Amino acid sequence: MEIARYMTTGIVPRGPRRGGVRWGRMRTSFRVKIALLTIGVAALPLALVGWLLIDVNAREVESSSQALQIALTEQVAAAVDGELRRARTGLSAIGNALTDASLGEEARLATALRLLDANESLEVVAVYDAEGALIDRMGDPSARGIETPDALSAALRERGLGEATEGESVRVLVVERLSAAGRATGWGASPVSLAPVQARVAELSRAQLASRRGRVMVVDEAGRAMVHPDASLRLSTVGAPPATLSRAPSSSEVDGWLRTAAATDAAPWAVITEIPREVAYASLAEMRAIVIGTILGTLLLAVIASLLLARRLAA
């Protein structure tokens, strides 16, 4: 009826129907189907590829960040152990020279002084008898301001490590047993500076972590910073180390910080490397934004193109 009316009068029918459905609605439904088909063909595969890229990148960023922290932690732990071991080796060598019966007294003292000058970790050495009473001190005249205790307590002799003190740098008293012919004859002690380790930590924090918020530090069993990139925080409490530690680094996430920690062999300390999660994963967040933006842009273009195509096909 509507078609016949149009053919005789030339009036366009308002609501032409075919099989009970208006042409306007049919055209709209057709356009929607074309748009959805285009979105499915163009955007969904791109979204899948983007999700896979983000997943792969996330695992790679996590792995590389953890590897970097482990490497930094091991480097600092090795630096601490090396500094303290050089000091102990030097003390033992000086003790052997002082108790060498094959040398005269002056030759023994001269040899001990040469050994002291040759050891970069030692500046002042104090020698004690078997009971911890002070016998004598030796060192460079420029190091007169470096103090040593007048006696070594039994607890200090057993522990082998004294309390840390701060001056121009943090120093820790290293105590080593001296022996001759297999018999303990006394003790040697020296306040060893941690300045070389401090310099190494500052360098690694700036160059490797690439963030002012990232840090590498050495803490004692009480959680005090023996070494810290911020010099104002040295010997202040910065947080207790993990309860159980080994020389092998272990990684964890604590309050939004990625943390790697390892124990040192030469002292009951821990090396801790920390960096905020958002800093470590900054590249991942950037990639996620790029992928999402690309998908949304493609989706928008696909919708526009599909609507134009559907209009042409339905015309």
Side-chain angles (χ1 to χ4, degrees):
M1 293 293 294
E2 297 290 350
I3 296 176
R5 182 182 176 187
Y6 170 72
M7 296 296 292
T8 57
T9 64
I11 300 175
V12 177
R14 288 186 176 181
R17 297 172 178 268
R18 173 177 286 182
V21 181
R22 292 184 184 275
W23 282 99
R25 291 183 181 178
M26 189 172 182
R27 288 173 178 173
T28 302
S29 175
F30 181 68
R31 291 172 185 173
V32 171
K33 289 179 180 179
I34 289 293
L36 292 177
L37 178 61
T38 305
I39 291 172
V41 171
L44 292 182
L46 183 61
L48 177 60
V49 172
W51 179 81
L52 292 174
L53 286 175
I54 291 174
D55 181 64
V56 170
N57 192 51
R59 285 186 274 118
E60 181 61 27
V61 168
E62 182 179 0
S63 176
S64 60
S65 177
Q66 186 179 33
L68 172 62
Q69 289 187 259
I70 289 175
L72 295 180
T73 302
E74 289 179 335
Q75 285 186 47
V76 175
V80 171
D81 290 338
E83 199 67 29
L84 297 182
R85 282 172 178 161
R86 278 193 296 273
R88 293 191 181 279
T89 300
L91 289 172
S92 295
I94 290 172
N96 291 336
L98 292 175
T99 56
D100 189 350
S102 65
L103 299 176
E105 184 174 348
E106 291 186 3
R108 282 182 284 175
L109 182 58
T111 302
L113 289 174
R114 283 197 295 270
L115 290 171
L116 175 59
D117 291 338
N119 193 304
E120 296 180 355
S121 299
L122 301 178
E123 297 172 83
V124 175
V125 171
V127 181
Y128 302 83
D129 65 16
E131 300 301 321
L134 179 64
I135 298 174
D136 199 2
R137 293 186 179 94
M138 62 179 69
D140 191 275
S142 62
R144 288 177 180 175
I146 302 175
E147 298 181 354
T148 55
D150 294 330
L152 300 179
S153 66
L156 181 56
R157 298 197 303 269
E158 180 179 357
R159 189 168 186 263
L161 209 62
E163 288 294 324
T165 58
E166 185 174 16
E168 294 182 359
S169 64
V170 173
R171 291 180 179 274
V172 59
L173 187 69
V174 175
V175 180
E176 182 72 8
R177 182 189 295 272
L178 306 180
S179 59
R183 181 176 60 87
T185 57
W187 301 86
S190 178
V192 177
S193 172
L194 297 180
V197 182
Q198 176 70 39
R200 184 63 175 154
V201 162
E203 177 187 355
L204 291 174
S205 295
R206 290 192 307 267
Q208 300 296 331
L209 291 181
S211 168
R212 293 182 179 180
R213 297 175 61 192
R215 55 185 179 244
V216 185
M217 54 187 173
V218 181
V219 300
D220 65 6
E221 59 269 43
R224 296 186 306 161
M226 299 288 100
V227 176
H228 198 284
D230 185 351
S232 64
L233 295 178
R234 291 183 305 196
L235 293 187
S236 61
T237 301
V238 294
T244 57
L245 272 182
S246 66
R247 187 61 176 79
S250 60
S251 300
S252 61
E253 184 173 343
V254 181
D255 299 328
W257 287 76
L258 302 180
R259 169 185 285 189
T260 300
T264 58
D265 291 332
W269 301 342
V271 178
I272 298 176
T273 303
E274 293 181 327
I275 189 170
R277 180 183 177 87
E278 64 269 19
V279 174
Y281 293 163
S283 62
L284 178 61
E286 183 178 352
M287 181 179 182
R288 184 181 289 114
I290 292 173
V291 170
I292 292 176
T294 302
I295 292 174
L296 291 178
T298 304
L299 184 61
L300 179 61
L301 292 176
V303 170
I304 294 173
S306 65
L307 291 177
L308 293 176
L309 177 62
R311 177 178 293 183
R312 174 167 293 188
L313 291 176

